[in-house]
Amino acid sequence: MPAPDEEAFRAEVRRWLAANLAGEFAPLVGSGGPGREHEFVPERMAWERLLGANGWIGLGWPEADGGRGLPWGHEVIFYEEYARAGAPARVGHIGEQLLGPTLLTFGTAEQRARFLPGILAGTELWCQGYSEPGAGSDLAAVSTRARLEAGEWHLDGQKVWTSLAQFADWCFVLARTDVAAERHRGLSYLLVPMRQPGVDVRPIVQLTGTSEFNEVFFDDARAAAADVVGAPGDGWRVAMGTLAVERGVSTLGQQLGFRREFEAVLAAARATGAIDDPDIRARIVEAWAGLEVMRYTALATLARSAGDTGTEPNVNKLIWAHWHQRLGELAVDVAGAAATLAGPGYELDNAQRLFLYTRADTIYGGSNEIQRNVIAERGLGLPREPR
Ligand SMILES: Cc1cc2nc3c(=O)[nH]c(=O)nc-3n(C[C@H](O)[C@H](O)[C@H](O)COP(=O)(O)OP(=O)(O)OC[C@H]3O[C@@H](n4cnc5c(N)ncnc54)[C@H](O)[C@@H]3O)c2cc1C
């Protein structure tokens, strides 16, 4: 089926969002963003299912796998309109944006048939089990173990910083399945059900007072023998494939979210009179210019994304993480001394949440130091750092 015309598609998305972000879903507008992931969780899960039932998940996935096979330009439009409407932060984004594309690239036909429909329908939520207390930047140090016994994988170990694990039905886990092999080679990529006796999820309270991420303990947890993506021992390649898709077209939607945050900061600066402070004025102008640069850079990267984009995604991550953190600082500076006080029961306003949550931007998805290492070694050909 030919893709609908872009303008017609934009109008369709806009109409659907206006009609459906109403009634029982009206309170979800603007909810669930950074530092506010605790808001309206059951309602946002229902919203995810509504998106799925109406064909708004997996827009770019092949039709043969249940997607709509739309070009990336249409996906960008969807994310732009989604952000513009203030639609809620997605609870299913890890499945749609990380696991789905990984299965489309590395999964067997059986795995795609088993797992993609739940993501597309918004009925099965996923989390990402990579990081461990001793394995973050140095991910190949993963020590969670899995052994194949009597037709099942048995897992023991601990993951940490596992976003949304408390709501997830499934986790894609990087586990060591061959302790004798060289450390990058002994890993496997397993699909593990979260709701079973051997899995214990403990939320971690963050600076924002809420819990986006968790500790996850595996104590003889089980996964089906067939639920290994790629061959056993080939998990590193698959895990890197997931990271490569991590910054897809949704980055433009993310930037619209940034724009809304920027506009809120600007409105606050006008309301409080902080706009008259020359330092604040200069930082507002800089923030606006940064937004424009990010938008055009992301569009240029996406337009080239059919080929190898080299270290461009690393450069983009560095730029937006830095930009967003500066915006958080600007938000509390605009609020002035009042920003140093939380409300009763540690109630935080949007500026305080933005400031506190954006401390994480330079850590997750690869810290700034690691992005610089990648750019130095792979982009500039500088000598590898001593190990
Ligand atoms: C909000 C948030 C959500 C997250 N969600 C998930 C998730 O869903 N699933 C998941 O698996 N993980 C998740 N993470 C974990 C994230 O991927 C790790 O925090 C990140 O990879 C850094 O690892 P680490 O915390 O172990 O820090 P470390 O690797 O211990 O690093 C500590 C510090 O040392 C620096 N450093 C480390 N190595 C080098 C080096 N070679 N050169 C220079 N500096 C170095 C780092 O930059 C950092 O500043 C999340 C993290 C955050 C903050």
Side-chain angles (χ1 to χ4, degrees):
M1 210 191 338
D5 162 72
E6 289 197 353
E7 279 320 300
F9 182 71
R10 187 181 291 283
E12 181 195 342
V13 177
R14 201 174 277 195
R15 244 191 336 265
W16 189 87
L17 287 168
N20 287 279
L21 264 178
E24 60 175 315
F25 292 117
L28 300 194
V29 170
S31 70
R36 307 213 319 273
E37 52 291 320
H38 59 294
E39 293 174 338
F40 300 107
V41 173
E43 294 84 354
R44 280 165 51 222
M45 286 179 173
W47 172 253
E48 189 74 21
R49 294 192 292 274
L50 186 71
L51 288 174
N54 286 274
W56 297 118
I57 301 178
L59 293 177
W61 295 8
E63 286 175 279
D65 287 295
R68 286 176 61 182
L70 294 175
W72 69 265
H74 285 62
E75 288 186 79
V76 169
I77 289 171
F78 176 76
Y79 285 113
E80 284 181 349
E81 291 303 322
Y82 193 90
R84 185 169 286 129
R90 296 277 305 278
V91 287
H93 66 284
I94 297 177
E96 186 191 16
Q97 285 161 29
L98 300 186
L99 184 72
T102 304
L103 289 180
L104 288 170
T105 308
F106 300 99
T108 60
E110 291 75 24
Q111 287 167 344
R112 295 202 305 273
R114 162 64 189 87
F115 292 109
L116 297 182
I119 298 173
L120 289 165
T123 50
E124 288 188 341
L125 304 182
W126 286 82
C127 61
Q128 176 181 28
Y130 280 17
S131 305
E132 298 183 358
S137 303
D138 184 14
L139 188 58
V142 154
S143 67
T144 291
R145 294 203 183 168
R147 58 182 201 288
L148 198 52
E149 212 176 275
E152 276 184 315
W153 292 101
H154 295 241
L155 284 89
D156 290 284
Q158 184 199 344
K159 296 293 172 180
V160 73
W161 322 131
T162 321
S163 298
L164 308 183
Q166 66 272 54
F167 311 125
D169 304 289
W170 289 86
C171 185
F172 47 97
V173 174
L174 193 60
R176 190 158 298 286
T177 47
D178 181 352
V179 286
E182 187 266 325
R183 61 190 211 127
H184 290 83
R185 292 189 205 280
L187 299 167
S188 299
Y189 193 104
L190 303 175
L191 308 178
V192 181
M194 292 294 280
R195 302 187 205 287
Q196 56 165 313
V199 175
D200 182 19
V201 177
R202 302 185 197 162
I204 299 173
V205 179
Q206 295 167 233
L207 275 176
T208 48
T210 58
S211 298
E212 190 235 24
F213 55 44
N214 305 264
E215 294 178 291
V216 177
F217 294 86
F218 299 112
D219 180 10
D220 199 23
R222 310 293 174 89
D227 290 345
V228 53
V229 186
D234 202 20
W236 183 256
R237 194 173 63 95
V238 181
M240 290 304 105
T242 303
L243 290 183
V245 297
E246 195 160 352
R247 309 246 85 83
V249 287
S250 61
T251 51
L252 275 164
Q254 175 197 39
Q255 287 178 26
L256 254 106
F258 288 175
R259 193 170 290 271
R260 290 169 66 91
E261 290 168 348
F262 167 79
E263 279 161 8
V265 172
L266 178 59
R270 288 207 168 101
T272 60
I275 195 91
D276 297 326
D277 177 326
D279 173 58
I280 298 280
R281 283 175 87 87
R283 286 162 64 192
I284 285 174
V285 171
E286 253 173 53
W288 183 82
L291 261 181
E292 295 296 297
V293 170
M294 287 190 295
R295 176 168 165 74
Y296 292 115
T297 310
L299 281 170
T301 302
L302 283 170
R304 280 193 294 275
S305 68
D308 181 9
T309 52
T311 54
E312 241 174 80
N314 308 88
V315 174
N316 293 349
K317 165 82 208 301
L318 258 187
I319 292 175
W320 73 248
H322 180 80
W323 182 89
H324 203 211
Q325 223 165 57
R326 294 290 90 77
L327 187 73
E329 290 160 9
L330 180 60
V332 288
D333 285 345
V334 161
T340 58
L341 290 178
Y346 200 62
E347 190 48 45
L348 301 176
D349 63 25
N350 286 343
Q352 290 167 322
R353 279 189 198 286
L354 183 64
F355 170 70
L356 292 174
Y357 189 88
T358 53
R359 309 322 293 169
D361 285 337
T362 49
I363 302 172
Y364 67 80
S367 71
N368 271 21
E369 290 76 10
I370 297 303
Q371 305 296 345
R372 289 196 189 96
N373 279 352
V374 173
I375 294 165
E377 293 175 12
R378 290 191 217 143
L380 302 175
L382 298 182
R384 292 185 70 80
E385 68 167 324
R387 297 267 177 194

PDB file of all heavy atoms in Angstrom, residues 203-236:
ATOM      1  N   PRO A 203      12.455  -1.292  43.457  1.00  0.00           N
ATOM      2  CA  PRO A 203      12.614   0.085  42.951  1.00  0.00           C
ATOM      3  C   PRO A 203      13.676   0.865  43.727  1.00  0.00           C
ATOM      4  O   PRO A 203      13.853   0.653  44.933  1.00  0.00           O
ATOM      5  CB  PRO A 203      11.222   0.691  43.178  1.00  0.00           C
ATOM      6  CG  PRO A 203      10.296  -0.480  43.232  1.00  0.00           C
ATOM      7  CD  PRO A 203      11.089  -1.587  43.872  1.00  0.00           C
ATOM      8  N   ILE A 204      14.393   1.731  43.009  1.00  0.00           N
ATOM      9  CA  ILE A 204      15.404   2.599  43.632  1.00  0.00           C
ATOM     10  C   ILE A 204      14.822   4.015  43.674  1.00  0.00           C
ATOM     11  O   ILE A 204      14.386   4.525  42.632  1.00  0.00           O
ATOM     12  CB  ILE A 204      16.704   2.608  42.795  1.00  0.00           C
ATOM     13  CG1 ILE A 204      17.288   1.190  42.728  1.00  0.00           C
ATOM     14  CG2 ILE A 204      17.711   3.599  43.364  1.00  0.00           C
ATOM     15  CD1 ILE A 204      18.479   1.072  41.785  1.00  0.00           C
ATOM     16  N   VAL A 205      14.801   4.620  44.842  1.00  0.00           N
ATOM     17  CA  VAL A 205      14.283   5.983  44.934  1.00  0.00           C
ATOM     18  C   VAL A 205      15.361   6.948  44.424  1.00  0.00           C
ATOM     19  O   VAL A 205      16.505   6.899  44.865  1.00  0.00           O
ATOM     20  CB  VAL A 205      13.886   6.337  46.378  1.00  0.00           C
ATOM     21  CG1 VAL A 205      13.375   7.781  46.452  1.00  0.00           C
ATOM     22  CG2 VAL A 205      12.810   5.377  46.873  1.00  0.00           C
ATOM     23  N   GLN A 206      14.974   7.787  43.470  1.00  0.00           N
ATOM     24  CA  GLN A 206      15.928   8.696  42.827  1.00  0.00           C
ATOM     25  C   GLN A 206      15.817  10.105  43.414  1.00  0.00           C
ATOM     26  O   GLN A 206      14.958  10.378  44.259  1.00  0.00           O
ATOM     27  CB  GLN A 206      15.674   8.675  41.313  1.00  0.00           C
ATOM     28  CG  GLN A 206      15.982   7.301  40.741  1.00  0.00           C
ATOM     29  CD  GLN A 206      15.465   7.077  39.324  1.00  0.00           C
ATOM     30  OE1 GLN A 206      14.772   6.122  39.060  1.00  0.00           O
ATOM     31  NE2 GLN A 206      15.845   7.947  38.398  1.00  0.00           N
ATOM     32  N   LEU A 207      16.699  10.982  42.954  1.00  0.00           N
ATOM     33  CA  LEU A 207      16.711  12.376  43.427  1.00  0.00           C
ATOM     34  C   LEU A 207      15.340  13.032  43.346  1.00  0.00           C
ATOM     35  O   LEU A 207      15.008  13.897  44.146  1.00  0.00           O
ATOM     36  CB  LEU A 207      17.655  13.198  42.526  1.00  0.00           C
ATOM     37  CG  LEU A 207      19.139  13.229  42.827  1.00  0.00           C
ATOM     38  CD1 LEU A 207      19.847  14.016  41.737  1.00  0.00           C
ATOM     39  CD2 LEU A 207      19.393  13.853  44.184  1.00  0.00           C
ATOM     40  N   THR A 208      14.565  12.628  42.354  1.00  0.00           N
ATOM     41  CA  THR A 208      13.248  13.228  42.153  1.00  0.00           C
ATOM     42  C   THR A 208      12.235  12.715  43.178  1.00  0.00           C
ATOM     43  O   THR A 208      11.079  13.141  43.178  1.00  0.00           O
ATOM     44  CB  THR A 208      12.731  12.859  40.757  1.00  0.00           C
ATOM     45  OG1 THR A 208      12.919  11.440  40.597  1.00  0.00           O
ATOM     46  CG2 THR A 208      13.468  13.590  39.674  1.00  0.00           C
ATOM     47  N   GLY A 209      12.648  11.748  44.026  1.00  0.00           N
ATOM     48  CA  GLY A 209      11.726  11.168  44.999  1.00  0.00           C
ATOM     49  C   GLY A 209      10.892  10.051  44.401  1.00  0.00           C
ATOM     50  O   GLY A 209      10.099   9.413  45.087  1.00  0.00           O
ATOM     51  N   THR A 210      11.038   9.796  43.095  1.00  0.00           N
ATOM     52  CA  THR A 210      10.273   8.753  42.407  1.00  0.00           C
ATOM     53  C   THR A 210      11.242   7.648  41.969  1.00  0.00           C
ATOM     54  O   THR A 210      12.461   7.775  42.134  1.00  0.00           O
ATOM     55  CB  THR A 210       9.554   9.334  41.180  1.00  0.00           C
ATOM     56  OG1 THR A 210      10.549   9.903  40.310  1.00  0.00           O
ATOM     57  CG2 THR A 210       8.572  10.419  41.598  1.00  0.00           C
ATOM     58  N   SER A 211      10.692   6.579  41.406  1.00  0.00           N
ATOM     59  CA  SER A 211      11.539   5.447  41.019  1.00  0.00           C
ATOM     60  C   SER A 211      11.312   5.110  39.556  1.00  0.00           C
ATOM     61  O   SER A 211      10.363   4.418  39.222  1.00  0.00           O
ATOM     62  CB  SER A 211      11.204   4.220  41.868  1.00  0.00           C
ATOM     63  OG  SER A 211      11.474   4.496  43.217  1.00  0.00           O
ATOM     64  N   GLU A 212      12.188   5.622  38.707  1.00  0.00           N
ATOM     65  CA  GLU A 212      12.101   5.223  37.306  1.00  0.00           C
ATOM     66  C   GLU A 212      12.799   3.886  37.129  1.00  0.00           C
ATOM     67  O   GLU A 212      12.379   3.047  36.375  1.00  0.00           O
ATOM     68  CB  GLU A 212      12.756   6.274  36.407  1.00  0.00           C
ATOM     69  CG  GLU A 212      12.494   6.031  34.937  1.00  0.00           C
ATOM     70  CD  GLU A 212      13.748   5.949  34.102  1.00  0.00           C
ATOM     71  OE1 GLU A 212      14.832   5.626  34.658  1.00  0.00           O
ATOM     72  OE2 GLU A 212      13.648   6.196  32.887  1.00  0.00           O
ATOM     73  N   PHE A 213      13.900   3.698  37.863  1.00  0.00           N
ATOM     74  CA  PHE A 213      14.647   2.449  37.664  1.00  0.00           C
ATOM     75  C   PHE A 213      14.719   1.608  38.926  1.00  0.00           C
ATOM     76  O   PHE A 213      14.281   2.033  40.000  1.00  0.00           O
ATOM     77  CB  PHE A 213      16.004   2.690  37.011  1.00  0.00           C
ATOM     78  CG  PHE A 213      16.932   3.669  37.697  1.00  0.00           C
ATOM     79  CD1 PHE A 213      17.112   3.661  39.062  1.00  0.00           C
ATOM     80  CD2 PHE A 213      17.681   4.564  36.936  1.00  0.00           C
ATOM     81  CE1 PHE A 213      18.002   4.519  39.670  1.00  0.00           C
ATOM     82  CE2 PHE A 213      18.568   5.446  37.544  1.00  0.00           C
ATOM     83  CZ  PHE A 213      18.728   5.414  38.914  1.00  0.00           C
ATOM     84  N   ASN A 214      15.280   0.395  38.782  1.00  0.00           N
ATOM     85  CA  ASN A 214      15.157  -0.651  39.804  1.00  0.00           C
ATOM     86  C   ASN A 214      16.405  -1.516  39.854  1.00  0.00           C
ATOM     87  O   ASN A 214      17.177  -1.581  38.900  1.00  0.00           O
ATOM     88  CB  ASN A 214      14.013  -1.615  39.426  1.00  0.00           C
ATOM     89  CG  ASN A 214      12.710  -0.915  39.190  1.00  0.00           C
ATOM     90  OD1 ASN A 214      11.887  -0.821  40.071  1.00  0.00           O
ATOM     91  ND2 ASN A 214      12.521  -0.386  37.979  1.00  0.00           N
ATOM     92  N   GLU A 215      16.505  -2.245  40.976  1.00  0.00           N
ATOM     93  CA  GLU A 215      17.397  -3.400  41.008  1.00  0.00           C
ATOM     94  C   GLU A 215      16.552  -4.611  40.599  1.00  0.00           C
ATOM     95  O   GLU A 215      15.389  -4.706  40.989  1.00  0.00           O
ATOM     96  CB  GLU A 215      17.906  -3.657  42.413  1.00  0.00           C
ATOM     97  CG  GLU A 215      18.808  -2.577  42.959  1.00  0.00           C
ATOM     98  CD  GLU A 215      19.232  -2.904  44.381  1.00  0.00           C
ATOM     99  OE1 GLU A 215      18.368  -2.862  45.269  1.00  0.00           O
ATOM    100  OE2 GLU A 215      20.414  -3.200  44.584  1.00  0.00           O
ATOM    101  N   VAL A 216      17.145  -5.528  39.842  1.00  0.00           N
ATOM    102  CA  VAL A 216      16.427  -6.759  39.473  1.00  0.00           C
ATOM    103  C   VAL A 216      17.323  -7.937  39.840  1.00  0.00           C
ATOM    104  O   VAL A 216      18.475  -8.018  39.382  1.00  0.00           O
ATOM    105  CB  VAL A 216      16.107  -6.796  37.961  1.00  0.00           C
ATOM    106  CG1 VAL A 216      15.427  -8.109  37.593  1.00  0.00           C
ATOM    107  CG2 VAL A 216      15.215  -5.626  37.565  1.00  0.00           C
ATOM    108  N   PHE A 217      16.805  -8.822  40.686  1.00  0.00           N
ATOM    109  CA  PHE A 217      17.574  -9.987  41.126  1.00  0.00           C
ATOM    110  C   PHE A 217      17.015 -11.243  40.451  1.00  0.00           C
ATOM    111  O   PHE A 217      15.798 -11.455  40.452  1.00  0.00           O
ATOM    112  CB  PHE A 217      17.478 -10.140  42.646  1.00  0.00           C
ATOM    113  CG  PHE A 217      18.142  -8.997  43.383  1.00  0.00           C
ATOM    114  CD1 PHE A 217      17.445  -7.823  43.644  1.00  0.00           C
ATOM    115  CD2 PHE A 217      19.470  -9.095  43.784  1.00  0.00           C
ATOM    116  CE1 PHE A 217      18.059  -6.763  44.305  1.00  0.00           C
ATOM    117  CE2 PHE A 217      20.089  -8.036  44.446  1.00  0.00           C
ATOM    118  CZ  PHE A 217      19.381  -6.869  44.710  1.00  0.00           C
ATOM    119  N   PHE A 218      17.907 -12.047  39.904  1.00  0.00           N
ATOM    120  CA  PHE A 218      17.517 -13.339  39.319  1.00  0.00           C
ATOM    121  C   PHE A 218      18.033 -14.445  40.224  1.00  0.00           C
ATOM    122  O   PHE A 218      19.238 -14.534  40.486  1.00  0.00           O
ATOM    123  CB  PHE A 218      18.129 -13.522  37.930  1.00  0.00           C
ATOM    124  CG  PHE A 218      17.693 -12.463  36.938  1.00  0.00           C
ATOM    125  CD1 PHE A 218      18.592 -11.528  36.452  1.00  0.00           C
ATOM    126  CD2 PHE A 218      16.395 -12.427  36.477  1.00  0.00           C
ATOM    127  CE1 PHE A 218      18.200 -10.555  35.548  1.00  0.00           C
ATOM    128  CE2 PHE A 218      15.979 -11.458  35.568  1.00  0.00           C
ATOM    129  CZ  PHE A 218      16.895 -10.526  35.106  1.00  0.00           C
ATOM    130  N   ASP A 219      17.110 -15.272  40.716  1.00  0.00           N
ATOM    131  CA  ASP A 219      17.490 -16.377  41.582  1.00  0.00           C
ATOM    132  C   ASP A 219      16.852 -17.641  41.007  1.00  0.00           C
ATOM    133  O   ASP A 219      15.703 -17.958  41.289  1.00  0.00           O
ATOM    134  CB  ASP A 219      16.980 -16.077  43.008  1.00  0.00           C
ATOM    135  CG  ASP A 219      17.349 -17.188  43.983  1.00  0.00           C
ATOM    136  OD1 ASP A 219      18.147 -18.068  43.601  1.00  0.00           O
ATOM    137  OD2 ASP A 219      16.815 -17.179  45.106  1.00  0.00           O
ATOM    138  N   ASP A 220      17.618 -18.304  40.162  1.00  0.00           N
ATOM    139  CA  ASP A 220      17.110 -19.447  39.399  1.00  0.00           C
ATOM    140  C   ASP A 220      15.860 -19.066  38.590  1.00  0.00           C
ATOM    141  O   ASP A 220      14.893 -19.823  38.523  1.00  0.00           O
ATOM    142  CB  ASP A 220      16.820 -20.640  40.313  1.00  0.00           C
ATOM    143  CG  ASP A 220      16.750 -21.941  39.501  1.00  0.00           C
ATOM    144  OD1 ASP A 220      17.330 -21.977  38.386  1.00  0.00           O
ATOM    145  OD2 ASP A 220      16.098 -22.893  39.958  1.00  0.00           O
ATOM    146  N   ALA A 221      15.913 -17.861  37.992  1.00  0.00           N
ATOM    147  CA  ALA A 221      14.826 -17.452  37.089  1.00  0.00           C
ATOM    148  C   ALA A 221      14.930 -18.275  35.809  1.00  0.00           C
ATOM    149  O   ALA A 221      16.016 -18.727  35.444  1.00  0.00           O
ATOM    150  CB  ALA A 221      14.952 -15.967  36.787  1.00  0.00           C
ATOM    151  N   ARG A 222      13.797 -18.436  35.133  1.00  0.00           N
ATOM    152  CA  ARG A 222      13.802 -19.312  33.952  1.00  0.00           C
ATOM    153  C   ARG A 222      13.436 -18.548  32.673  1.00  0.00           C
ATOM    154  O   ARG A 222      12.643 -17.604  32.718  1.00  0.00           O
ATOM    155  CB  ARG A 222      12.768 -20.444  34.124  1.00  0.00           C
ATOM    156  CG  ARG A 222      12.863 -21.203  35.437  1.00  0.00           C
ATOM    157  CD  ARG A 222      14.157 -21.995  35.529  1.00  0.00           C
ATOM    158  NE  ARG A 222      14.296 -22.591  36.852  1.00  0.00           N
ATOM    159  CZ  ARG A 222      13.805 -23.803  37.179  1.00  0.00           C
ATOM    160  NH1 ARG A 222      13.151 -24.519  36.299  1.00  0.00           N
ATOM    161  NH2 ARG A 222      13.996 -24.277  38.401  1.00  0.00           N
ATOM    162  N   ALA A 223      14.038 -19.005  31.576  1.00  0.00           N
ATOM    163  CA  ALA A 223      13.635 -18.542  30.239  1.00  0.00           C
ATOM    164  C   ALA A 223      13.611 -19.769  29.338  1.00  0.00           C
ATOM    165  O   ALA A 223      14.391 -20.710  29.544  1.00  0.00           O
ATOM    166  CB  ALA A 223      14.637 -17.512  29.708  1.00  0.00           C
ATOM    167  N   ALA A 224      12.718 -19.767  28.366  1.00  0.00           N
ATOM    168  CA  ALA A 224      12.622 -20.921  27.453  1.00  0.00           C
ATOM    169  C   ALA A 224      13.908 -21.050  26.645  1.00  0.00           C
ATOM    170  O   ALA A 224      14.539 -20.037  26.301  1.00  0.00           O
ATOM    171  CB  ALA A 224      11.423 -20.744  26.527  1.00  0.00           C
ATOM    172  N   ALA A 225      14.284 -22.291  26.353  1.00  0.00           N
ATOM    173  CA  ALA A 225      15.530 -22.543  25.617  1.00  0.00           C
ATOM    174  C   ALA A 225      15.560 -21.769  24.295  1.00  0.00           C
ATOM    175  O   ALA A 225      16.604 -21.270  23.867  1.00  0.00           O
ATOM    176  CB  ALA A 225      15.691 -24.037  25.375  1.00  0.00           C
ATOM    177  N   ALA A 226      14.394 -21.643  23.652  1.00  0.00           N
ATOM    178  CA  ALA A 226      14.351 -21.006  22.330  1.00  0.00           C
ATOM    179  C   ALA A 226      14.429 -19.480  22.423  1.00  0.00           C
ATOM    180  O   ALA A 226      14.630 -18.810  21.398  1.00  0.00           O
ATOM    181  CB  ALA A 226      13.052 -21.392  21.625  1.00  0.00           C
ATOM    182  N   ASP A 227      14.288 -18.921  23.653  1.00  0.00           N
ATOM    183  CA  ASP A 227      14.221 -17.459  23.766  1.00  0.00           C
ATOM    184  C   ASP A 227      15.595 -16.826  23.920  1.00  0.00           C
ATOM    185  O   ASP A 227      15.826 -15.974  24.789  1.00  0.00           O
ATOM    186  CB  ASP A 227      13.272 -17.073  24.908  1.00  0.00           C
ATOM    187  CG  ASP A 227      11.822 -17.389  24.553  1.00  0.00           C
ATOM    188  OD1 ASP A 227      11.553 -17.626  23.359  1.00  0.00           O
ATOM    189  OD2 ASP A 227      10.970 -17.396  25.458  1.00  0.00           O
ATOM    190  N   VAL A 228      16.512 -17.225  23.074  1.00  0.00           N
ATOM    191  CA  VAL A 228      17.825 -16.585  22.996  1.00  0.00           C
ATOM    192  C   VAL A 228      17.906 -15.952  21.601  1.00  0.00           C
ATOM    193  O   VAL A 228      17.628 -16.609  20.597  1.00  0.00           O
ATOM    194  CB  VAL A 228      18.967 -17.598  23.251  1.00  0.00           C
ATOM    195  CG1 VAL A 228      18.870 -18.819  22.342  1.00  0.00           C
ATOM    196  CG2 VAL A 228      20.333 -16.939  23.105  1.00  0.00           C
ATOM    197  N   VAL A 229      18.207 -14.647  21.571  1.00  0.00           N
ATOM    198  CA  VAL A 229      18.250 -13.934  20.281  1.00  0.00           C
ATOM    199  C   VAL A 229      19.662 -14.028  19.733  1.00  0.00           C
ATOM    200  O   VAL A 229      20.627 -13.693  20.431  1.00  0.00           O
ATOM    201  CB  VAL A 229      17.820 -12.458  20.446  1.00  0.00           C
ATOM    202  CG1 VAL A 229      17.741 -11.778  19.082  1.00  0.00           C
ATOM    203  CG2 VAL A 229      16.488 -12.361  21.170  1.00  0.00           C
ATOM    204  N   GLY A 230      19.794 -14.480  18.474  1.00  0.00           N
ATOM    205  CA  GLY A 230      21.121 -14.789  17.944  1.00  0.00           C
ATOM    206  C   GLY A 230      21.540 -16.120  18.558  1.00  0.00           C
ATOM    207  O   GLY A 230      20.798 -16.704  19.358  1.00  0.00           O
ATOM    208  N   ALA A 231      22.720 -16.567  18.241  1.00  0.00           N
ATOM    209  CA  ALA A 231      23.168 -17.851  18.800  1.00  0.00           C
ATOM    210  C   ALA A 231      23.624 -17.659  20.242  1.00  0.00           C
ATOM    211  O   ALA A 231      24.032 -16.559  20.621  1.00  0.00           O
ATOM    212  CB  ALA A 231      24.327 -18.378  17.956  1.00  0.00           C
ATOM    213  N   PRO A 232      23.580 -18.720  21.082  1.00  0.00           N
ATOM    214  CA  PRO A 232      24.200 -18.603  22.395  1.00  0.00           C
ATOM    215  C   PRO A 232      25.669 -18.212  22.214  1.00  0.00           C
ATOM    216  O   PRO A 232      26.353 -18.731  21.329  1.00  0.00           O
ATOM    217  CB  PRO A 232      24.069 -20.027  22.969  1.00  0.00           C
ATOM    218  CG  PRO A 232      22.900 -20.624  22.262  1.00  0.00           C
ATOM    219  CD  PRO A 232      22.937 -20.042  20.870  1.00  0.00           C
ATOM    220  N   GLY A 233      26.141 -17.254  23.013  1.00  0.00           N
ATOM    221  CA  GLY A 233      27.525 -16.780  22.882  1.00  0.00           C
ATOM    222  C   GLY A 233      27.658 -15.597  21.940  1.00  0.00           C
ATOM    223  O   GLY A 233      28.706 -14.960  21.865  1.00  0.00           O
ATOM    224  N   ASP A 234      26.560 -15.269  21.219  1.00  0.00           N
ATOM    225  CA  ASP A 234      26.606 -14.168  20.249  1.00  0.00           C
ATOM    226  C   ASP A 234      25.900 -12.919  20.806  1.00  0.00           C
ATOM    227  O   ASP A 234      25.553 -12.004  20.060  1.00  0.00           O
ATOM    228  CB  ASP A 234      25.911 -14.630  18.961  1.00  0.00           C
ATOM    229  CG  ASP A 234      26.343 -13.821  17.751  1.00  0.00           C
ATOM    230  OD1 ASP A 234      27.420 -13.178  17.814  1.00  0.00           O
ATOM    231  OD2 ASP A 234      25.600 -13.813  16.754  1.00  0.00           O
ATOM    232  N   GLY A 235      25.696 -12.900  22.129  1.00  0.00           N
ATOM    233  CA  GLY A 235      24.901 -11.834  22.745  1.00  0.00           C
ATOM    234  C   GLY A 235      25.504 -10.452  22.617  1.00  0.00           C
ATOM    235  O   GLY A 235      24.781  -9.455  22.559  1.00  0.00           O
ATOM    236  N   TRP A 236      26.836 -10.377  22.561  1.00  0.00           N
ATOM    237  CA  TRP A 236      27.467  -9.055  22.484  1.00  0.00           C
ATOM    238  C   TRP A 236      27.066  -8.347  21.188  1.00  0.00           C
ATOM    239  O   TRP A 236      26.689  -7.180  21.181  1.00  0.00           O
ATOM    240  CB  TRP A 236      28.987  -9.190  22.577  1.00  0.00           C
ATOM    241  CG  TRP A 236      29.681  -7.853  22.582  1.00  0.00           C
ATOM    242  CD1 TRP A 236      30.352  -7.267  21.549  1.00  0.00           C
ATOM    243  CD2 TRP A 236      29.706  -6.915  23.675  1.00  0.00           C
ATOM    244  NE1 TRP A 236      30.817  -6.028  21.925  1.00  0.00           N
ATOM    245  CE2 TRP A 236      30.437  -5.789  23.220  1.00  0.00           C
ATOM    246  CE3 TRP A 236      29.199  -6.919  24.965  1.00  0.00           C
ATOM    247  CZ2 TRP A 236      30.660  -4.678  24.031  1.00  0.00           C
ATOM    248  CZ3 TRP A 236      29.425  -5.811  25.776  1.00  0.00           C
ATOM    249  CH2 TRP A 236      30.142  -4.712  25.302  1.00  0.00           C
TER     250      TRP A 236
END
